[in-house]
């Protein structure tokens, strides 16, 4: 009696028996994406952009702490960037809303454009009033903690922001909420080491702009205009971060440049080199998976 790969009939073979045709259904690297060097280099800009945002935020604190950057300059620069960024955001939302809603992405974009400028202005005023009202409390919140401890906690939280930031791919450790909260905790820590309550207010609002608003704008610009804007944003942010570090401490600027080159060119090259070593096997031993997609004709 020939062996059959079934369990609902009693056969003269053991339940764990397999014949010589078992490996005929073996498949390797099914649905494997093949990466290319230059597209991977461009996509690595998402990481270096977030790294540059952290560097620029820390540099702004260092400049204010050393009295090299006045409050007027901070408010002027952050306010101008906020207005220009919001104008670009509204233009992208309006242009995207004119597209037919043939995908869930367009549906989400269309729902976001229903918020008017007045609604956004009310939200901004509410946040600014809340941040200004809490500034005296935040300024004295960590008086009993040593400065070294504050700087250590700030470094840990900013590192957590960089690691947990949502760069796009689905991963178990990615959490945009935790990443943003870590950045805000770091801003509160270092803001308490500045001279006045106005400095605390400026630092907190700058953190919201750098870690909450700017990532949204970067994602929308990338989705709307493609790799050209992605490259431009990467060069702009990394150049600004590099020049800031050159002004603060040149050795840190050299370290930042080395890290940027490694992430932008070294890691993609490393990925391309080890890609042929990928060897995922699939066969009849895999767990069954259900196709949950709804047919288009229904």
């Amino acid at each position: 009696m020939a062996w059959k790969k079934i369990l609902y009939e009693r056969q003269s073979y053991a339940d764990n028996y397999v014949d010589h045709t078992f490996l005929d259904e073996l498949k390797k690297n099914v649905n494997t994406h093949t990466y290319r060097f230059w597209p991977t280099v461009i996509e690595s800009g998402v990481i270096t952009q977030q790294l540059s945002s952290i560097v620029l935020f820390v540099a702004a604190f260092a400049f204010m702490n050393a009295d090299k950057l006045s409050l007027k300059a901070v408010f002027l620069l952050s306010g101008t960037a906020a207005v220009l960024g919001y104008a670009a955001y509204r233009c992208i939302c309006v242009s995207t809303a004119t597209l037919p809603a043939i995908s869930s992405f367009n549906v989400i974009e269309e729902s976001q454009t229903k918020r008017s400028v007045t609604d956004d202005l009310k939200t901004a005023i509410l946040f600014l009033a809340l941040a200004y009202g809490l500034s005296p409390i935040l300024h004295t919140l960590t008086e009993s903690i040593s400065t070294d401890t504050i700087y250590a906690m700030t470094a840990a939280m900013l590192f957590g922001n960089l690691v947990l930031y949502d760069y796009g791919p689905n991963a178990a450790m990615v959490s945009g909420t935790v990443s943003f909260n870590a950045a805000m905790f770091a801003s509160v820590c270092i803001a308490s080491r500045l001279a006045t309550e106005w400095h605390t207010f400026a630092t907190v609002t700058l953190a919201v702009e750098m870690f909450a608003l700017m990532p949204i704008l970067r994602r929308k610009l990338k989705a709307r205009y493609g790799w050209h804007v992605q490259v431009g944003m990467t060069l702009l942010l990394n150049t600004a971060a590099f020049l800031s570090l050159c002004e603060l401490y040149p050795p840190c600027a050299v370290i930042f440049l080395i890290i940027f080159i490694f992430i932008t060119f070294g890691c993609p090259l490393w990925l391309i080199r080890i890609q042929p070593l990928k060897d995922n096997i699939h066969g009849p031993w895999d767990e069954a998976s259900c196709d949950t997609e709804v047919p288009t004709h229904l």
Side-chain angles (χ1 to χ4, degrees):
M1 180 179 179
W3 174 79
K4 300 179 181 179
K5 192 173 63 175
I6 56 176
L7 292 177
Y8 55 84
E9 288 184 6
R10 185 177 297 276
Q11 303 184 69
S12 58
Y13 300 92
D15 290 342
N16 60 350
Y17 171 81
V18 291
D19 65 354
H20 64 279
T21 63
F22 180 73
L23 293 179
D24 291 346
E25 301 180 33
L26 174 66
K27 298 179 181 179
K28 293 185 177 182
N29 299 333
V30 178
N31 300 324
T32 300
H33 179 72
T34 302
Y35 294 96
R36 294 180 297 170
F37 180 71
W38 286 111
T40 309
V41 168
I42 294 174
E43 290 299 324
S44 68
V46 180
I47 302 175
T48 55
Q49 287 172 20
Q50 186 64 16
L51 177 62
S52 299
S53 298
I54 294 175
V55 171
L56 288 173
F57 176 73
V58 175
F61 162 77
F63 284 133
M64 286 190 290
N65 194 38
D67 292 331
K68 294 182 179 180
L69 185 63
S70 64
L71 276 175
K72 292 182 179 179
V74 174
F75 285 126
L76 179 62
L77 291 175
S78 61
T80 303
V83 172
L84 294 178
Y86 180 73
Y89 170 83
R90 294 299 301 184
C91 291
I92 295 173
C93 288
V94 171
S95 62
T96 307
T98 59
L99 299 174
I102 58 176
S103 65
S104 59
F105 177 78
N106 289 336
V107 172
I108 296 174
E109 292 292 334
E110 185 177 0
S111 63
Q112 290 179 346
T113 57
K114 293 181 180 179
R115 284 183 58 89
S116 64
V117 177
T118 305
D119 296 333
D120 294 332
L121 184 60
K122 290 179 181 179
T123 303
I125 293 175
L126 179 62
F127 164 75
L128 292 175
L130 182 62
Y132 178 74
L134 293 176
S135 294
I137 301 175
L138 298 178
H139 183 63
T140 59
L141 186 63
T142 60
E143 280 186 345
S144 60
I145 304 176
S146 65
T147 302
D148 292 339
T149 303
I150 289 296
Y151 288 163
M153 290 192 300
T154 300
M157 291 299 103
L158 291 178
F159 180 75
N161 171 266
L162 185 65
V163 172
L164 299 176
Y165 180 77
D166 185 7
Y167 295 103
N170 295 325
M173 65 181 300
V174 169
S175 177
T177 303
V178 177
S179 175
F180 173 69
N181 288 336
M184 292 306 300
F185 182 81
S187 69
V188 171
C189 287
I190 61 175
S192 63
R193 288 300 181 264
L194 294 174
T196 65
E197 299 169 1
W198 282 103
H199 287 83
T200 302
F201 173 68
T203 303
V204 172
T205 53
L206 181 63
V208 172
E209 185 174 344
M210 296 291 292
F211 301 113
L213 302 180
M214 185 182 292
I216 297 175
L217 180 61
R218 293 203 310 259
R219 283 193 290 266
K220 286 188 173 294
L221 287 172
K222 179 185 175 183
R224 185 70 179 87
Y225 299 106
W227 67 270
H228 300 85
V229 175
Q230 172 77 354
V231 173
M233 291 188 298
T234 301
L235 293 177
L236 178 63
L237 288 174
N238 284 276
T239 302
F242 177 75
L243 294 178
S244 299
L245 290 176
C246 286
E247 180 67 22
L248 284 173
Y249 190 57
C252 287
V254 175
I255 295 175
F256 174 79
L257 183 61
I258 294 174
I259 293 175
F260 170 75
I261 294 175
F262 175 72
I263 294 176
T264 305
F265 300 103
C267 290
L269 182 61
W270 189 7
L271 177 63
I272 299 300
R273 290 289 182 86
I274 66 176
Q275 192 171 221
L277 302 178
K278 187 178 181 65
D279 192 15
N280 289 344
I281 60 175
H282 303 268
W285 54 83
D286 291 340
E287 296 180 359
S289 59
C290 299
D291 187 3
T292 57
E293 294 184 2
V294 179
T296 56
H297 63 276
L298 295 180

